[in-house]
Amino acid sequence: MSTDSVDDILTRIERRIAIRRLLGIASVAVAAAAVYFGTGFLGARPVPDIVRFAQFDFFIAEFLKYTRPTFIDFTFYTQRNEVGGLYAIVASLLNPSTFAETVTSLRSSLIVSAVVMTLTIGIVGTILGFPLALFFGVLGSERVTPFPFNFLFRGVMSTIRAIPALVWVFIFAALVPLSPLTAMLAVATDTIGNLGRLFTDELEEIEEGPIEAIRSTGASRLQVINFGMLSQVSSSFVAWTLYILEINTRIAVSLGVVGAGGLGQYIQQNLNLFNSYRAGAGLVTLLVLVLSIELISSRLRARLRPSEHESKGFIDSLRGLFDGDKWIGRSSD
């Protein structure tokens, strides 16, 4: 290869890199403009007033309170003895008998009780929604139900998915008062649409070989579905259920914000009363709760799915954040 051709190739590569950088800068500028004028549009102002200096000091003062949470509402023991700060957690652990009383009280004004309530809404809602999600998900697959009859079941799931859980809770509130039970029904309904659709998509991607093998033995239609189709996706179904459980826990928190109980209601009540120290404790608890469930769920799903066995653990991922070479693309390990 001549020197001129090498120089030409180098020039083209440098030109492409320069064009990509210019496009990147232009994209950032367009995104910034969209945010700038979008916030102005939502704020009904010609120019967005993002930084309101009249309230900026107040915002900073309140935000700093969130960084110094008080767990005085952790259990009955800390509330009665007015034990605040992070020591409230230690004091509660030193008096374990107070946990049973706190949990059974079902009060959203106590952090431990609110956490248990939120977890119960997420877990029981997922369990209640799973059978119908399996029913509609399997029958919504064209491999099980012939076209166009499968669209009847897909239509039901799409209708359910079109309505957010935050709306379902108010629909069910017409039947029973707004409460943790209402939130549980909303989560269960939301699970039918979301989990059922994941089941359908999973069935559409299974291999035809095992199905033909089962058919060749003279098996009935039900046996083909059970041993030829569902046997291929059983692990994936469990993995998707764990994933939806993780999402449902977050939904349970958001439903608490509208008064359905749990940790969301605790945070919302303290924010309304400007109890920033207590609201900060609720936010810290929410962060720990969500990260713990995500960690457990991802580890279980990695066990169920061979392709995820090589995924990194939580500690390794954190350690990778401090690797400077990864940030600049010099290392991919």
Side-chain angles (χ1 to χ4, degrees):
M1 186 177 293
S2 65
T3 306
D4 291 340
S5 61
V6 172
D7 292 338
D8 291 341
I9 294 173
L10 182 61
T11 303
R12 285 199 297 271
I13 293 175
E14 290 177 344
R15 189 184 302 121
R16 288 175 185 173
I17 293 174
I19 292 173
R20 287 177 183 174
R21 286 176 179 172
L22 288 174
L23 289 175
I25 294 172
S27 300
V28 172
V30 170
V35 172
Y36 185 81
F37 291 106
T39 51
F41 173 74
L42 295 176
R45 302 182 187 89
V47 177
D49 188 13
I50 299 176
V51 181
R52 289 176 290 182
F53 291 101
Q55 300 182 15
F56 195 67
D57 292 341
F58 173 77
F59 171 77
I60 294 296
E62 289 298 310
F63 184 79
L64 289 177
K65 290 180 181 178
Y66 298 147
T67 63
R68 292 178 292 166
T70 177
F71 288 84
I72 192 171
D73 296 327
F74 197 66
T75 58
F76 271 123
Y77 177 84
T78 56
Q79 206 173 56
R80 289 168 181 163
N81 295 281
E82 297 184 351
V83 180
L86 294 174
Y87 181 71
I89 301 175
V90 179
S92 297
L93 293 174
L94 294 176
N95 296 274
S97 59
T98 189
F99 281 98
E101 181 186 7
T102 304
V103 170
T104 54
S105 68
L106 292 178
R107 291 188 182 182
S108 295
S109 59
L110 296 166
I111 293 177
V112 170
S113 177
V115 168
V116 173
M117 200 181 300
T118 299
L119 285 174
T120 304
I121 292 171
I123 294 172
V124 177
T126 306
I127 294 173
L128 282 177
F130 177 81
L132 285 176
L134 184 63
F135 176 77
F136 285 103
V138 171
L139 295 181
S141 172
E142 192 173 349
R143 294 195 170 211
V144 178
T145 307
F147 177 84
F149 301 105
N150 63 320
F151 273 88
L152 174 64
F153 302 98
R154 286 188 177 222
V156 173
M157 291 186 290
S158 298
T159 303
I160 292 174
R161 292 173 70 232
I163 302 174
L166 199 58
V167 177
W168 278 116
V169 76
F170 288 112
I171 294 175
F172 285 117
L175 302 175
V176 291
L178 190 62
S179 64
L181 179 63
T182 320
M184 186 183 67
L185 293 174
V187 169
T189 307
D190 199 57
T191 299
I192 296 171
N194 291 327
L195 188 58
R197 183 53 189 269
L198 292 172
F199 286 169
T200 300
D201 292 342
E202 196 71 35
L203 278 172
E204 299 292 349
E205 298 176 358
I206 58 177
E207 297 179 1
E208 192 65 27
I211 300 173
E212 292 298 330
I214 296 294
R215 281 178 183 157
S216 65
T217 63
S220 64
R221 178 68 175 163
L222 187 61
Q223 289 173 324
V224 171
I225 294 172
N226 189 23
F227 299 106
M229 297 181 183
L230 296 182
S231 61
Q232 293 189 55
V233 295
S234 56
S235 297
S236 296
F237 276 18
V238 176
W240 281 123
T241 304
L242 290 171
Y243 176 68
I244 291 297
L245 172 63
E246 179 185 322
I247 294 176
N248 284 346
T249 306
R250 295 193 182 99
I251 292 176
V253 175
S254 63
L255 296 181
V257 174
V258 297
L263 192 57
Q265 185 169 336
Y266 176 83
I267 296 172
Q268 179 65 20
Q269 286 177 342
N270 284 289
L271 287 175
N272 290 340
L273 297 173
F274 292 99
N275 291 330
S276 301
Y277 296 114
R278 298 188 181 194
L283 292 172
V284 170
T285 306
L286 172 62
L287 181 66
V288 173
L289 175 66
V290 171
L291 289 179
S292 300
I293 293 175
E294 185 174 342
L295 181 63
I296 295 171
S297 175
S298 62
R299 287 295 86 194
L300 290 174
R301 280 186 277 126
R303 292 290 181 187
L304 290 169
R305 291 183 164 179
S307 59
E308 295 185 20
H309 274 301
E310 296 179 358
S311 63
K312 295 179 180 178
F314 182 69
I315 301 299
D316 292 334
S317 300
L318 282 180
R319 191 182 295 119
L321 292 175
F322 299 97
D323 187 350
D325 291 338
K326 291 183 178 179
W327 287 92
I328 59 176
R330 294 173 57 185
S331 172
S332 59
D333 296 334

PDB file of all heavy atoms in Angstrom, residues 208-236:
ATOM      1  N   GLU A 208     -38.411 -24.706  17.616  1.00  0.00           N
ATOM      2  CA  GLU A 208     -39.447 -25.591  17.086  1.00  0.00           C
ATOM      3  C   GLU A 208     -39.086 -27.072  17.273  1.00  0.00           C
ATOM      4  O   GLU A 208     -39.979 -27.937  17.338  1.00  0.00           O
ATOM      5  CB  GLU A 208     -39.645 -25.302  15.598  1.00  0.00           C
ATOM      6  CG  GLU A 208     -40.866 -25.929  14.978  1.00  0.00           C
ATOM      7  CD  GLU A 208     -42.169 -25.392  15.539  1.00  0.00           C
ATOM      8  OE1 GLU A 208     -42.183 -24.227  16.000  1.00  0.00           O
ATOM      9  OE2 GLU A 208     -43.157 -26.143  15.524  1.00  0.00           O
ATOM     10  N   GLY A 209     -37.782 -27.363  17.415  1.00  0.00           N
ATOM     11  CA  GLY A 209     -37.331 -28.753  17.501  1.00  0.00           C
ATOM     12  C   GLY A 209     -37.996 -29.560  18.603  1.00  0.00           C
ATOM     13  O   GLY A 209     -38.601 -30.616  18.339  1.00  0.00           O
ATOM     14  N   PRO A 210     -37.931 -29.116  19.869  1.00  0.00           N
ATOM     15  CA  PRO A 210     -38.572 -29.883  20.953  1.00  0.00           C
ATOM     16  C   PRO A 210     -40.075 -30.044  20.761  1.00  0.00           C
ATOM     17  O   PRO A 210     -40.642 -31.075  21.134  1.00  0.00           O
ATOM     18  CB  PRO A 210     -38.263 -29.034  22.189  1.00  0.00           C
ATOM     19  CG  PRO A 210     -37.022 -28.284  21.839  1.00  0.00           C
ATOM     20  CD  PRO A 210     -37.150 -27.980  20.374  1.00  0.00           C
ATOM     21  N   ILE A 211     -40.714 -29.049  20.142  1.00  0.00           N
ATOM     22  CA  ILE A 211     -42.171 -29.141  19.923  1.00  0.00           C
ATOM     23  C   ILE A 211     -42.477 -30.252  18.922  1.00  0.00           C
ATOM     24  O   ILE A 211     -43.377 -31.077  19.132  1.00  0.00           O
ATOM     25  CB  ILE A 211     -42.710 -27.791  19.410  1.00  0.00           C
ATOM     26  CG1 ILE A 211     -42.433 -26.689  20.435  1.00  0.00           C
ATOM     27  CG2 ILE A 211     -44.204 -27.878  19.131  1.00  0.00           C
ATOM     28  CD1 ILE A 211     -42.785 -25.304  19.946  1.00  0.00           C
ATOM     29  N   GLU A 212     -41.709 -30.299  17.819  1.00  0.00           N
ATOM     30  CA  GLU A 212     -41.907 -31.343  16.821  1.00  0.00           C
ATOM     31  C   GLU A 212     -41.614 -32.716  17.402  1.00  0.00           C
ATOM     32  O   GLU A 212     -42.279 -33.714  17.052  1.00  0.00           O
ATOM     33  CB  GLU A 212     -41.002 -31.074  15.614  1.00  0.00           C
ATOM     34  CG  GLU A 212     -41.397 -29.841  14.808  1.00  0.00           C
ATOM     35  CD  GLU A 212     -42.784 -29.979  14.214  1.00  0.00           C
ATOM     36  OE1 GLU A 212     -43.202 -31.121  13.914  1.00  0.00           O
ATOM     37  OE2 GLU A 212     -43.476 -28.953  14.062  1.00  0.00           O
ATOM     38  N   ALA A 213     -40.617 -32.786  18.279  1.00  0.00           N
ATOM     39  CA  ALA A 213     -40.276 -34.077  18.901  1.00  0.00           C
ATOM     40  C   ALA A 213     -41.432 -34.597  19.748  1.00  0.00           C
ATOM     41  O   ALA A 213     -41.762 -35.793  19.719  1.00  0.00           O
ATOM     42  CB  ALA A 213     -39.019 -33.908  19.752  1.00  0.00           C
ATOM     43  N   ILE A 214     -42.061 -33.696  20.501  1.00  0.00           N
ATOM     44  CA  ILE A 214     -43.197 -34.113  21.331  1.00  0.00           C
ATOM     45  C   ILE A 214     -44.382 -34.512  20.448  1.00  0.00           C
ATOM     46  O   ILE A 214     -45.074 -35.509  20.712  1.00  0.00           O
ATOM     47  CB  ILE A 214     -43.604 -32.966  22.283  1.00  0.00           C
ATOM     48  CG1 ILE A 214     -42.471 -32.657  23.271  1.00  0.00           C
ATOM     49  CG2 ILE A 214     -44.870 -33.311  23.042  1.00  0.00           C
ATOM     50  CD1 ILE A 214     -42.174 -33.764  24.239  1.00  0.00           C
ATOM     51  N   ARG A 215     -44.596 -33.771  19.363  1.00  0.00           N
ATOM     52  CA  ARG A 215     -45.712 -34.095  18.452  1.00  0.00           C
ATOM     53  C   ARG A 215     -45.520 -35.470  17.810  1.00  0.00           C
ATOM     54  O   ARG A 215     -46.487 -36.214  17.580  1.00  0.00           O
ATOM     55  CB  ARG A 215     -45.818 -33.032  17.370  1.00  0.00           C
ATOM     56  CG  ARG A 215     -46.514 -31.755  17.842  1.00  0.00           C
ATOM     57  CD  ARG A 215     -46.540 -30.718  16.743  1.00  0.00           C
ATOM     58  NE  ARG A 215     -47.138 -29.470  17.184  1.00  0.00           N
ATOM     59  CZ  ARG A 215     -46.910 -28.302  16.616  1.00  0.00           C
ATOM     60  NH1 ARG A 215     -46.078 -28.211  15.575  1.00  0.00           N
ATOM     61  NH2 ARG A 215     -47.503 -27.218  17.060  1.00  0.00           N
ATOM     62  N   SER A 216     -44.267 -35.782  17.485  1.00  0.00           N
ATOM     63  CA  SER A 216     -43.998 -37.052  16.807  1.00  0.00           C
ATOM     64  C   SER A 216     -44.318 -38.257  17.670  1.00  0.00           C
ATOM     65  O   SER A 216     -44.456 -39.372  17.174  1.00  0.00           O
ATOM     66  CB  SER A 216     -42.521 -37.099  16.378  1.00  0.00           C
ATOM     67  OG  SER A 216     -41.682 -37.107  17.528  1.00  0.00           O
ATOM     68  N   THR A 217     -44.437 -38.044  18.972  1.00  0.00           N
ATOM     69  CA  THR A 217     -44.770 -39.149  19.873  1.00  0.00           C
ATOM     70  C   THR A 217     -46.275 -39.369  19.965  1.00  0.00           C
ATOM     71  O   THR A 217     -46.728 -40.270  20.673  1.00  0.00           O
ATOM     72  CB  THR A 217     -44.221 -38.875  21.285  1.00  0.00           C
ATOM     73  OG1 THR A 217     -44.853 -37.696  21.809  1.00  0.00           O
ATOM     74  CG2 THR A 217     -42.717 -38.662  21.263  1.00  0.00           C
ATOM     75  N   GLY A 218     -47.060 -38.529  19.263  1.00  0.00           N
ATOM     76  CA  GLY A 218     -48.508 -38.659  19.324  1.00  0.00           C
ATOM     77  C   GLY A 218     -49.127 -37.977  20.524  1.00  0.00           C
ATOM     78  O   GLY A 218     -50.256 -38.310  20.914  1.00  0.00           O
ATOM     79  N   ALA A 219     -48.393 -37.025  21.123  1.00  0.00           N
ATOM     80  CA  ALA A 219     -48.894 -36.349  22.316  1.00  0.00           C
ATOM     81  C   ALA A 219     -50.089 -35.455  21.966  1.00  0.00           C
ATOM     82  O   ALA A 219     -50.235 -34.992  20.829  1.00  0.00           O
ATOM     83  CB  ALA A 219     -47.778 -35.491  22.930  1.00  0.00           C
ATOM     84  N   SER A 220     -50.945 -35.231  22.963  1.00  0.00           N
ATOM     85  CA  SER A 220     -52.106 -34.366  22.772  1.00  0.00           C
ATOM     86  C   SER A 220     -51.642 -32.902  22.710  1.00  0.00           C
ATOM     87  O   SER A 220     -50.485 -32.575  23.005  1.00  0.00           O
ATOM     88  CB  SER A 220     -53.087 -34.549  23.924  1.00  0.00           C
ATOM     89  OG  SER A 220     -52.496 -34.138  25.147  1.00  0.00           O
ATOM     90  N   ARG A 221     -52.581 -32.032  22.339  1.00  0.00           N
ATOM     91  CA  ARG A 221     -52.268 -30.609  22.246  1.00  0.00           C
ATOM     92  C   ARG A 221     -51.798 -30.043  23.591  1.00  0.00           C
ATOM     93  O   ARG A 221     -50.860 -29.261  23.662  1.00  0.00           O
ATOM     94  CB  ARG A 221     -53.515 -29.857  21.773  1.00  0.00           C
ATOM     95  CG  ARG A 221     -53.365 -28.354  21.671  1.00  0.00           C
ATOM     96  CD  ARG A 221     -52.434 -27.968  20.563  1.00  0.00           C
ATOM     97  NE  ARG A 221     -52.355 -26.539  20.372  1.00  0.00           N
ATOM     98  CZ  ARG A 221     -51.392 -25.932  19.696  1.00  0.00           C
ATOM     99  NH1 ARG A 221     -50.417 -26.648  19.146  1.00  0.00           N
ATOM    100  NH2 ARG A 221     -51.383 -24.634  19.551  1.00  0.00           N
ATOM    101  N   LEU A 222     -52.482 -30.461  24.664  1.00  0.00           N
ATOM    102  CA  LEU A 222     -52.123 -29.990  26.001  1.00  0.00           C
ATOM    103  C   LEU A 222     -50.729 -30.467  26.393  1.00  0.00           C
ATOM    104  O   LEU A 222     -49.950 -29.730  27.013  1.00  0.00           O
ATOM    105  CB  LEU A 222     -53.165 -30.475  27.016  1.00  0.00           C
ATOM    106  CG  LEU A 222     -53.020 -29.931  28.443  1.00  0.00           C
ATOM    107  CD1 LEU A 222     -53.149 -28.405  28.459  1.00  0.00           C
ATOM    108  CD2 LEU A 222     -54.072 -30.558  29.364  1.00  0.00           C
ATOM    109  N   GLN A 223     -50.401 -31.696  26.024  1.00  0.00           N
ATOM    110  CA  GLN A 223     -49.066 -32.233  26.350  1.00  0.00           C
ATOM    111  C   GLN A 223     -47.984 -31.527  25.541  1.00  0.00           C
ATOM    112  O   GLN A 223     -46.875 -31.315  26.048  1.00  0.00           O
ATOM    113  CB  GLN A 223     -49.050 -33.738  26.066  1.00  0.00           C
ATOM    114  CG  GLN A 223     -49.871 -34.542  27.058  1.00  0.00           C
ATOM    115  CD  GLN A 223     -49.973 -36.009  26.657  1.00  0.00           C
ATOM    116  OE1 GLN A 223     -50.058 -36.338  25.466  1.00  0.00           O
ATOM    117  NE2 GLN A 223     -49.997 -36.885  27.648  1.00  0.00           N
ATOM    118  N   VAL A 224     -48.299 -31.168  24.299  1.00  0.00           N
ATOM    119  CA  VAL A 224     -47.317 -30.418  23.493  1.00  0.00           C
ATOM    120  C   VAL A 224     -47.024 -29.064  24.122  1.00  0.00           C
ATOM    121  O   VAL A 224     -45.874 -28.630  24.214  1.00  0.00           O
ATOM    122  CB  VAL A 224     -47.845 -30.230  22.055  1.00  0.00           C
ATOM    123  CG1 VAL A 224     -46.943 -29.272  21.276  1.00  0.00           C
ATOM    124  CG2 VAL A 224     -47.916 -31.567  21.333  1.00  0.00           C
ATOM    125  N   ILE A 225     -48.094 -28.402  24.585  1.00  0.00           N
ATOM    126  CA  ILE A 225     -47.905 -27.084  25.220  1.00  0.00           C
ATOM    127  C   ILE A 225     -47.104 -27.225  26.506  1.00  0.00           C
ATOM    128  O   ILE A 225     -46.179 -26.443  26.776  1.00  0.00           O
ATOM    129  CB  ILE A 225     -49.278 -26.432  25.509  1.00  0.00           C
ATOM    130  CG1 ILE A 225     -49.994 -26.114  24.189  1.00  0.00           C
ATOM    131  CG2 ILE A 225     -49.119 -25.172  26.335  1.00  0.00           C
ATOM    132  CD1 ILE A 225     -51.424 -25.649  24.365  1.00  0.00           C
ATOM    133  N   ASN A 226     -47.446 -28.242  27.286  1.00  0.00           N
ATOM    134  CA  ASN A 226     -46.816 -28.394  28.602  1.00  0.00           C
ATOM    135  C   ASN A 226     -45.360 -28.840  28.490  1.00  0.00           C
ATOM    136  O   ASN A 226     -44.460 -28.216  29.073  1.00  0.00           O
ATOM    137  CB  ASN A 226     -47.630 -29.405  29.424  1.00  0.00           C
ATOM    138  CG  ASN A 226     -47.169 -29.448  30.864  1.00  0.00           C
ATOM    139  OD1 ASN A 226     -46.574 -28.501  31.365  1.00  0.00           O
ATOM    140  ND2 ASN A 226     -47.444 -30.550  31.527  1.00  0.00           N
ATOM    141  N   PHE A 227     -45.115 -29.901  27.703  1.00  0.00           N
ATOM    142  CA  PHE A 227     -43.766 -30.479  27.662  1.00  0.00           C
ATOM    143  C   PHE A 227     -42.914 -29.931  26.518  1.00  0.00           C
ATOM    144  O   PHE A 227     -41.684 -29.986  26.589  1.00  0.00           O
ATOM    145  CB  PHE A 227     -43.865 -32.014  27.540  1.00  0.00           C
ATOM    146  CG  PHE A 227     -44.577 -32.668  28.688  1.00  0.00           C
ATOM    147  CD1 PHE A 227     -45.859 -33.165  28.551  1.00  0.00           C
ATOM    148  CD2 PHE A 227     -43.960 -32.769  29.929  1.00  0.00           C
ATOM    149  CE1 PHE A 227     -46.524 -33.760  29.613  1.00  0.00           C
ATOM    150  CE2 PHE A 227     -44.609 -33.363  31.002  1.00  0.00           C
ATOM    151  CZ  PHE A 227     -45.901 -33.858  30.843  1.00  0.00           C
ATOM    152  N   GLY A 228     -43.557 -29.431  25.464  1.00  0.00           N
ATOM    153  CA  GLY A 228     -42.769 -28.922  24.339  1.00  0.00           C
ATOM    154  C   GLY A 228     -42.533 -27.431  24.391  1.00  0.00           C
ATOM    155  O   GLY A 228     -41.504 -26.955  23.899  1.00  0.00           O
ATOM    156  N   MET A 229     -43.470 -26.679  24.964  1.00  0.00           N
ATOM    157  CA  MET A 229     -43.340 -25.216  24.977  1.00  0.00           C
ATOM    158  C   MET A 229     -42.962 -24.686  26.358  1.00  0.00           C
ATOM    159  O   MET A 229     -41.932 -24.035  26.530  1.00  0.00           O
ATOM    160  CB  MET A 229     -44.662 -24.575  24.513  1.00  0.00           C
ATOM    161  CG  MET A 229     -45.047 -24.922  23.090  1.00  0.00           C
ATOM    162  SD  MET A 229     -46.592 -24.101  22.600  1.00  0.00           S
ATOM    163  CE  MET A 229     -46.805 -24.792  20.960  1.00  0.00           C
ATOM    164  N   LEU A 230     -43.827 -24.950  27.338  1.00  0.00           N
ATOM    165  CA  LEU A 230     -43.579 -24.369  28.663  1.00  0.00           C
ATOM    166  C   LEU A 230     -42.302 -24.887  29.307  1.00  0.00           C
ATOM    167  O   LEU A 230     -41.672 -24.173  30.097  1.00  0.00           O
ATOM    168  CB  LEU A 230     -44.784 -24.654  29.583  1.00  0.00           C
ATOM    169  CG  LEU A 230     -46.110 -23.999  29.167  1.00  0.00           C
ATOM    170  CD1 LEU A 230     -47.195 -24.307  30.177  1.00  0.00           C
ATOM    171  CD2 LEU A 230     -45.938 -22.497  29.026  1.00  0.00           C
ATOM    172  N   SER A 231     -41.918 -26.108  28.968  1.00  0.00           N
ATOM    173  CA  SER A 231     -40.673 -26.638  29.548  1.00  0.00           C
ATOM    174  C   SER A 231     -39.456 -25.855  29.078  1.00  0.00           C
ATOM    175  O   SER A 231     -38.440 -25.801  29.764  1.00  0.00           O
ATOM    176  CB  SER A 231     -40.516 -28.119  29.173  1.00  0.00           C
ATOM    177  OG  SER A 231     -40.454 -28.262  27.760  1.00  0.00           O
ATOM    178  N   GLN A 232     -39.556 -25.227  27.895  1.00  0.00           N
ATOM    179  CA  GLN A 232     -38.427 -24.444  27.379  1.00  0.00           C
ATOM    180  C   GLN A 232     -38.303 -23.077  28.057  1.00  0.00           C
ATOM    181  O   GLN A 232     -37.226 -22.480  28.062  1.00  0.00           O
ATOM    182  CB  GLN A 232     -38.591 -24.209  25.869  1.00  0.00           C
ATOM    183  CG  GLN A 232     -38.498 -25.453  25.019  1.00  0.00           C
ATOM    184  CD  GLN A 232     -38.456 -25.104  23.551  1.00  0.00           C
ATOM    185  OE1 GLN A 232     -37.613 -24.337  23.098  1.00  0.00           O
ATOM    186  NE2 GLN A 232     -39.369 -25.663  22.780  1.00  0.00           N
ATOM    187  N   VAL A 233     -39.404 -22.587  28.573  1.00  0.00           N
ATOM    188  CA  VAL A 233     -39.396 -21.213  29.089  1.00  0.00           C
ATOM    189  C   VAL A 233     -39.678 -21.128  30.586  1.00  0.00           C
ATOM    190  O   VAL A 233     -39.877 -20.037  31.111  1.00  0.00           O
ATOM    191  CB  VAL A 233     -40.438 -20.356  28.330  1.00  0.00           C
ATOM    192  CG1 VAL A 233     -40.060 -20.200  26.873  1.00  0.00           C
ATOM    193  CG2 VAL A 233     -41.831 -20.983  28.447  1.00  0.00           C
ATOM    194  N   SER A 234     -39.693 -22.255  31.267  1.00  0.00           N
ATOM    195  CA  SER A 234     -40.049 -22.230  32.697  1.00  0.00           C
ATOM    196  C   SER A 234     -39.079 -21.361  33.494  1.00  0.00           C
ATOM    197  O   SER A 234     -39.499 -20.559  34.338  1.00  0.00           O
ATOM    198  CB  SER A 234     -40.079 -23.655  33.253  1.00  0.00           C
ATOM    199  OG  SER A 234     -38.836 -24.294  33.033  1.00  0.00           O
ATOM    200  N   SER A 235     -37.767 -21.503  33.223  1.00  0.00           N
ATOM    201  CA  SER A 235     -36.781 -20.691  33.955  1.00  0.00           C
ATOM    202  C   SER A 235     -36.937 -19.211  33.625  1.00  0.00           C
ATOM    203  O   SER A 235     -36.856 -18.350  34.512  1.00  0.00           O
ATOM    204  CB  SER A 235     -35.362 -21.157  33.605  1.00  0.00           C
ATOM    205  OG  SER A 235     -35.150 -22.474  34.014  1.00  0.00           O
ATOM    206  N   SER A 236     -37.188 -18.920  32.356  1.00  0.00           N
ATOM    207  CA  SER A 236     -37.374 -17.517  31.954  1.00  0.00           C
ATOM    208  C   SER A 236     -38.627 -16.929  32.584  1.00  0.00           C
ATOM    209  O   SER A 236     -38.646 -15.753  32.962  1.00  0.00           O
ATOM    210  CB  SER A 236     -37.465 -17.423  30.431  1.00  0.00           C
ATOM    211  OG  SER A 236     -36.258 -17.819  29.835  1.00  0.00           O
TER     212      SER A 236
END
